[in-house]
Amino acid sequence: MRFLGVLMVLGTSLGLTNAATGNFTWDSKTFYVNGVQHQIIGGQIDPQRVPREYWPQRLQMAKSLGLNTIFSYLYWQDIEEHQGKFDFTGRNDVAAWFRAIQDAGLKAVLRPGPYVCAERDWGGIPGWLSQIPGLKIRSNNQPFLDLTAKYLAKFGEQLAPLLITNGGPILMVQIENEYGYVGNDKNYLKALSNSLSRSFPGLKQYTNDGASALKSGFLPGALAVVDGGGTENGFRTLQSTITDPSSRGPLMNGELWITWFDVWGPKKGHAGNNGNAGGVDFVLANGHHFSLFMFHGGTSWGFGNGAQDGLPVQPFTTSYDYGAVLDATGRAASNFAPFRNAIAKKVSSIPAVPSNPPLQAIANFSLTPVANWFDMLPKAVVSSTPKVMEALGQVWGYVLYEHVITAAASGKVVPGNGVRDRVIVYVNGAKQGVIDGIYKTPATVNVNLNPGDKLWLLVENLGRADNGFSDQTKGILGNVTVGGNTLIQWNHYSLPLDGAPSGLPSTALSIKANGAPVWYRGSFANTRSGMAADTFLDLPGGIKGVVFVNRHNLGRYWTIGPQQQLFVPGAWLNTNTTNEVLVLELDPGTLSRVARGLATRTWGNNADPDCRNCT
């Protein structure tokens, strides 16, 4: 989140070369689309956080707020999860997204990265980049620039017909994202600008930075845009800091922050949605421009969430509600009306707000334990010392590290150079404890090991820091020691959970206390369709894990909160037939389990049963 790419003029005048199909220009105060004034009243929606089936509804809600322009990040990590394998299907069908924007009668601003922040894993940058020799991200580094250019070229192929110059809705494209916070290398920004100009010929470019980072982050020839909650101060700073006339133009807050994000933790509260519409009043009354961040946040499906930088690890929740004007389910939040009223002072004839059905409640249904996860292991990768997750060809999920004891050892388990990010320790299949990187002082796990014993370390990637700059290698980096003794020879089992498991047994499994993670299966009937079938999946008694509904990965749940339920889009449910729920519980107990659907989400916190004395 928080960076608007550079509106670049790219060495040409502000006029576009293909005026017959469309053009986007500006003067010192106003933007023009095909010669007609266009005050950007925008909002951020990232399509990869929204079920594709719901894109049209989200856009109609944007229009009913009074918005005329949609800003969108695109996540490189989702589109090229593995090097050279590009996926433009489903929520990654970026061309379909911008066609939907055009069909809704809206304009668009493109924010393609390579780095986007957005509270995404590594700021949207693919994890596999960490394994490219000599590569340094977000810098004037040739390996990084070459891979970025290939990625942007693929986007260009998809989006060429949708540029304003070709009659499409996309007005301009952002260079990088809030780069001024971490660097001031104009050669790097220029190299990215050149790649953008090749991929999106004739499209204007801009940069987006916080007020304190404007000078470092702007690029001559690209419109400088400021972001943040303090719009008036940001505009004053921009006017005093950016003196290059090629980067001056209309004043725009590229991210007018609504509220904030949530992070997992037993004492981490929910940010709420108390955004102040007063900033919109000021911008509109003075003829300026803005984009609400977020208008609609959505959900970080699967393992897409990132984390704040630094230690202890602070991973973002699965929900990206963000206190947005449109909540995570696509319905008007309590701050929708105040923002709509503020915009209506400037904009006449705002469409009526569409009627959206309430969410449904689903009665309790049983969850039956059917499989021990460690009985389903893939073929092992063997090495003398532990390999990091990325070296195993894996980006997200878990890695199980196995060591067979050859000489007795006892004492504290140290899983390499720091905890990356959460380690469950087992001896002969019995859980010994959890070393959790979200705490400043994680729990100490001591073990007693005899020859022939199996030590298992299940390591979870909770999300790479979203600043896209620091080392975010996951898994175990360095040697594992027990009581100071280094353990040599490891089996590695990659468990990325990049899809729901198939072929699970149909009979119930007997669960042992403090045993391995367990897969539960349940099902429920549904008579509704579309948004009327939406619900929040609640898992009473669940501690931590992942949920698949009809093979869609809803993301992580964790009892510590503040998020307590997972959003289930009705568009992913079967009508008048069975819907399958698969739950991977990392901390299974021996009690029976149920799940249910709630019509209203609750937020709250619980003590961490795996780390009651951690700070």
Side-chain angles (χ1 to χ4, degrees), residues 250-268:
L251 293 175
M252 181 163 71
N253 187 332
E255 289 185 9
L256 201 164
W257 300 340
I258 299 298
T259 309
W260 213 234
F261 45 75
D262 293 322
V263 299
W264 293 112
K267 295 183 179 180
K268 300 289 188 180

Side-chain angles (χ1 to χ4, degrees), residues 1-2 44 119 227-230 255-263 269-277 280 291-297 308 316 320-327 333-336 339 603:
M1 69 159 254
R2 309 187 297 275
Q44 181 92 13
E119 286 68 64
D227 71 13
E255 289 185 9
L256 201 164
W257 300 340
I258 299 298
T259 309
W260 213 234
F261 45 75
D262 293 322
V263 299
H270 172 49
N273 60 348
N274 55 356
N276 183 0
V280 169
S291 173
L292 298 178
F293 195 99
M294 298 289 295
F295 165 68
H296 175 51
Q308 289 188 285
F316 302 119
Y320 195 58
D321 179 88
Y322 204 86
V325 181
L326 207 64
D327 71 16
S334 61
N335 54 359
F336 187 97
F339 277 97
W603 301 91

